[in-house]
Amino acid sequence: MLRRPEYRKALVFCGLIGVPVALLAFWFLVALHELEQLIWTDWPRDLGWKQAPWWWALPLMAVAGVVVGLVVARLPGRGGHIPAGGLHSGGVTKEALPGVLIAALVGLPLGVVLGPEAPLIALGGGLALLFASLVRAPQTKASTALLGAAGAAAAISALFGNPVVGAVLLMEVAGMGGPQLFAVMLPALLASGVGDLIFTGFVHWTGLETGSLDIGLPKPPPLDWADVLWALLIAPALAFLIHWVFVGGRFVAGFVTTRTVRNTTLCALGAAGSITLFAIATGRSPAEAALSGEDALAGLAQDPHAWSVGALVAVLVFKALAYTFCLGSLRGGPVFPSLFLGGAAGVLLAPLPGLGLVPAMAVGMAASLTAALRVPVSSVVLVVLLLGNVDTVALVVLAAVVSFVVVELLPQGPRIPAFSEPPAGRARRSGASRPS
């Protein structure tokens, strides 16, 4: 395969694609970060509040619901994939890019409980196909898949700050194997590496921020048998919780297939109501139950004692409920809310005898992320990157494997219907196909 001139040309082209895709991904993430800071921190302070008031999410999420609903109903590509179906690496065309950008740049900063990874994958894949058409590169079914995967990997590596994470995630999400996997992943890995170099350079040169994945956990003590035993209990419990959040999201997805704008707005208001109830119950900022949870996870890890037991229970309940509404109706990625829920559960359970903060958060994040994405290898790599040490790798792997087995054996819920189909009436049993 490497001796074929057309494949070598494709490899070089994919490396070049990493440059513009990473630049655009950089400014996309900067825009999201700046908008979130403006809307949830600067505006409340400018209006005289120390933090966003308890009702802050209600008007913001109403706007998000209307805009995303209109994008889904009116624009090509329906704003991207429905996040309740997990991450997808294909199917986004260059014609769908405007809808993906509008849904993400409006919905995510206004408080949608989803992350930027799914729009980034769509953005990278769509831009790669757009650039290929601009230079009039030959486009076959195989080359389209190759370019889409390379562009998506370049964009996602900008978010995770590591080309290996981007390449491994796309490898598992694509579900390919054998020679075909090698043919797709080699260009994807190259594009990720080039994209990461460009992205890192722009972070240093401009001084602008897109958010950091370093959540600042301290070095953990040596692992012991208590950590392993707790992992075997915590991981299936969290997998069960996240799995049913996603099943709920799939029912929500069926609900919004009819009267899309109205029902999407209603679901956005349902998420806003959950965020509001969290703020009322705890007196804390509604931003902690809204948004993706990426920034809140770092604060949670660095100062876990700032959260009372009641606040941790409240954020698990109300953010999970808001996450359910958003998974089925709005647009974004499922990674960071699941990581936050797993991290919050870890902080809540850390005082258990023989456990501790770092092992508990490691198990919680690995179990939750694996249950959400169904990609255990990528989940392990990403959680280890977040933790910043290799001392908890064994626990992370154990939690990911247990979580994956549990969610595969549970009933999968209804499939996500096309917008021309009526919603599914009831959940499928364990013999049903995996989520699409």
Side-chain angles (χ1 to χ4, degrees):
M1 179 176 55
L2 288 173
R3 297 180 187 276
R4 296 167 57 186
E6 59 271 22
Y7 184 75
R8 294 199 298 270
K9 291 179 182 179
L11 192 61
V12 173
F13 187 69
C14 288
L16 296 175
I17 282 175
V19 177
V21 168
L23 294 178
L24 291 169
F26 169 81
W27 290 111
F28 173 78
L29 290 171
V30 165
L32 287 179
H33 184 79
E34 295 294 327
L35 286 170
E36 288 180 5
Q37 177 72 20
L38 176 70
I39 293 170
W40 290 89
T41 302
D42 295 343
W43 282 358
R45 289 178 180 174
D46 292 343
L47 293 171
W49 291 294
K50 294 178 61 177
Q51 63 184 26
W54 61 267
W55 51 264
W56 195 252
L58 293 169
L60 297 179
M61 289 292 284
V63 173
V66 172
V67 173
V68 174
L70 289 171
V71 167
V72 173
R74 305 288 175 82
L75 294 185
R78 299 191 180 277
H81 295 293
I82 298 173
L87 286 178
H88 296 267
S89 62
V92 175
T93 63
K94 54 183 181 291
E95 291 81 12
L97 287 179
V100 170
L101 286 172
I102 294 171
L105 289 174
V106 173
L108 296 179
L110 291 179
V112 171
V113 186
L114 294 169
E117 61 280 357
L120 271 178
I121 290 175
L123 180 67
L127 286 174
L129 297 178
L130 177 61
F131 293 141
S133 66
L134 290 177
V135 301
R136 298 181 179 179
Q139 294 191 31
T140 64
K141 184 177 180 180
S143 67
T144 298
L146 188 74
L147 294 174
I156 205 69
S157 70
L159 173 64
F160 294 130
N162 191 307
V164 175
V165 176
V168 173
L169 181 63
L170 264 294
M171 175 183 67
E172 285 195 290
V173 168
M176 301 175 182
Q180 188 179 11
L181 171 64
F182 176 76
V184 172
M185 290 312 303
L186 189 60
L189 187 60
L190 175 61
S192 296
V194 174
D196 186 62
L197 289 173
I198 299 296
F199 182 85
T200 303
F202 254 68
V203 170
H204 292 301
W205 296 336
T206 64
L208 295 172
E209 296 183 1
T210 62
S212 173
L213 292 181
D214 183 4
I215 62 175
L217 282 172
K219 185 176 177 62
L223 299 179
D224 55 28
W225 284 106
D227 296 319
V228 176
L229 292 176
W230 282 122
L232 292 174
L233 295 174
I234 294 171
L238 285 177
F240 187 84
L241 168 66
I242 298 298
H243 172 76
W244 287 107
V245 166
F246 270 74
V247 171
R250 294 167 76 81
F251 278 105
V252 172
F255 174 67
V256 300
T257 55
T258 58
R259 299 189 177 182
T260 300
V261 177
R262 186 201 69 177
N263 291 347
T264 300
T265 304
L266 289 175
C267 290
L269 288 173
S274 302
I275 295 166
T276 301
L277 288 173
F278 165 80
I280 293 173
T282 64
R284 302 177 69 95
S285 170
E288 293 173 335
L291 305 169
S292 68
E294 179 183 352
D295 293 334
L297 180 62
L300 182 68
Q302 293 166 12
D303 191 13
H305 298 294
W307 288 74
S308 66
V309 171
L312 288 169
V313 172
V315 79
L316 283 170
V317 172
F318 293 118
K319 194 177 184 77
L321 186 57
Y323 188 29
T324 302
F325 281 114
C326 294
L327 279 170
S329 60
L330 299 167
R331 294 297 182 268
V335 171
F336 288 105
S338 64
L339 280 171
F340 178 84
L341 290 173
V347 173
L348 179 65
L349 299 174
L352 290 171
L355 190 53
L357 176 66
V358 178
M361 289 192 72
V363 170
M365 290 191 294
S368 296
L369 185 59
T370 303
L373 300 186
R374 311 290 182 90
V375 286
V377 176
S378 299
S379 300
V380 168
V381 173
L382 180 54
V383 171
V384 170
L385 172 67
L386 282 168
L387 295 173
N389 63 72
V390 296
D391 300 292
T392 54
V393 171
L395 283 182
V396 170
V397 172
L398 179 62
V401 171
V402 171
S403 176
F404 184 76
V405 171
V406 168
V407 296
E408 286 294 308
L409 294 177
L410 289 171
Q412 298 304 304
R415 67 181 180 87
I416 297 174
F419 277 78
S420 59
E421 300 177 13
R426 56 180 182 175
R428 295 185 178 185
R429 303 308 301 169
S430 58
S433 59
R434 291 183 57 181
S436 57

